[in-house]
Amino acid sequence: MPHLTYSQQAPSRFNCNTIDEQTVAQSELYNHLEAQAQAVAPTTDPLTDRDRRIIATIIDHAPESIRTIWIEAGITVWVQLVDSGRLPFERNWFASRVQEVKATLPETPRERNERLSAELEQACIKFGLTHGQIDWLSFSTTLYLNRQPVGFIGYNRANQWYSRRNQLGGSRTAKSVDAAIASLGVRQPVAA
């Protein structure tokens, strides 16, 4: 039969269990404080994906490495990086570079859809129309006048608006959303 002997250990000033419990409690406290701070004043990211791409092109970094940007004393533009690094730039030089990069940076599919959606909304207001759910992959939808379908409208890969009266009909292309809607025979309402 095996024999076990127990020896008593002298109590130490710092017990490992106490330190682990204290670390866990401190971590929970920090998480709670952070959650409370977010509930009181949630932080919103002032930079869009496009902003990050523009800045990344200027400073030759990856877009995801950019945390934020601010202007100090109206003179210096600071770019804060995720790894805690900061890069200073002269405001006028940075502004001119932003304009240059914006002119050459291609539009993302999401930005394209947002732009087209805004154009479509404005045109629907002008013509007194509503539209159905937008198919975001092909950017197309059904137009309605007083809940009656008028036709279909969309934007093709050749960067043209198109419209057609029915789903199987031939499409007519147009230079603007207004022209595409007008080709369906819809006219703007006349103000009384």
Side-chain angles (χ1 to χ4, degrees), residues 31 46 90-91 114 142 156:
N31 290 339
E90 194 273 325
R91 182 182 60 99
E114 288 172 355
T142 305
N156 62 24

Side-chain angles (χ1 to χ4, degrees), residues 95-110:
S96 66
R97 287 289 295 137
V98 166
Q99 294 307 315
E100 290 171 14
V101 171
K102 270 186 179 180
T104 61
L105 199 61
E107 192 175 45
T108 65
R110 181 179 182 171

Side-chain angles (χ1 to χ4, degrees), residues 160-179:
Q160 298 172 319
W161 284 97
Y162 67 87
S163 60
R164 59 180 180 259
R165 286 216 173 262
N166 57 41
Q167 211 156 16
L168 300 176
S171 296
R172 296 183 195 157
T173 59
K175 293 186 182 201
S176 70
V177 65
D178 292 346

Side-chain angles (χ1 to χ4, degrees), residues 3 37 40 43 57 62 105 107 136 139 159 170 185 189:
H3 183 73
V40 172
T43 56
T57 302
L105 199 61
E107 192 175 45
W136 295 105
F139 199 87
N159 295 324

Side-chain angles (χ1 to χ4, degrees), residues 91-169:
R91 182 182 60 99
N92 293 334
W93 176 86
F94 197 82
S96 66
R97 287 289 295 137
V98 166
Q99 294 307 315
E100 290 171 14
V101 171
K102 270 186 179 180
T104 61
L105 199 61
E107 192 175 45
T108 65
R110 181 179 182 171
E111 291 166 344
R112 173 187 166 268
N113 283 347
E114 288 172 355
R115 177 180 54 82
L116 295 174
S117 178
E119 287 179 31
L120 179 61
E121 291 296 329
Q122 288 299 317
C124 283
I125 291 169
K126 272 190 224 177
F127 286 91
L129 301 172
T130 57
H131 62 80
Q133 186 173 358
I134 297 173
D135 178 351
W136 295 105
L137 291 177
S138 64
F139 199 87
S140 61
T141 188
T142 305
L143 294 177
Y144 298 93
L145 178 62
N146 299 325
R147 296 186 183 181
Q148 297 297 317
V150 174
F152 299 91
I153 192 164
Y155 199 78
N156 62 24
R157 289 185 181 167
N159 295 324
Q160 298 172 319
W161 284 97
Y162 67 87
S163 60
R164 59 180 180 259
R165 286 216 173 262
N166 57 41
Q167 211 156 16
L168 300 176

Side-chain angles (χ1 to χ4, degrees), residues 19-90:
I19 292 173
D20 289 340
E21 291 170 8
Q22 185 177 11
T23 304
V24 169
Q26 191 72 33
S27 175
E28 288 174 1
L29 175 64
Y30 286 146
N31 290 339
H32 176 70
L33 291 175
E34 187 175 327
Q36 292 297 317
Q38 282 293 332
V40 172
T43 56
T44 56
D45 191 358
L47 298 176
T48 64
D49 290 338
R50 183 171 177 80
D51 294 337
R52 279 186 168 64
R53 286 185 14 231
I54 291 168
I55 295 166
T57 302
I58 293 169
I59 67 172
D60 197 27
H61 276 72
E64 55 275 358
S65 71
I66 297 165
R67 177 171 289 159
T68 191
I69 185 172
W70 72 93
I71 299 175
E72 183 178 7
I75 300 169
T76 306
V77 173
W78 286 92
V79 176
Q80 175 75 45
L81 302 174
V82 172
D83 67 0
S84 299
R86 291 183 183 165
L87 301 172
F89 298 95
E90 194 273 325

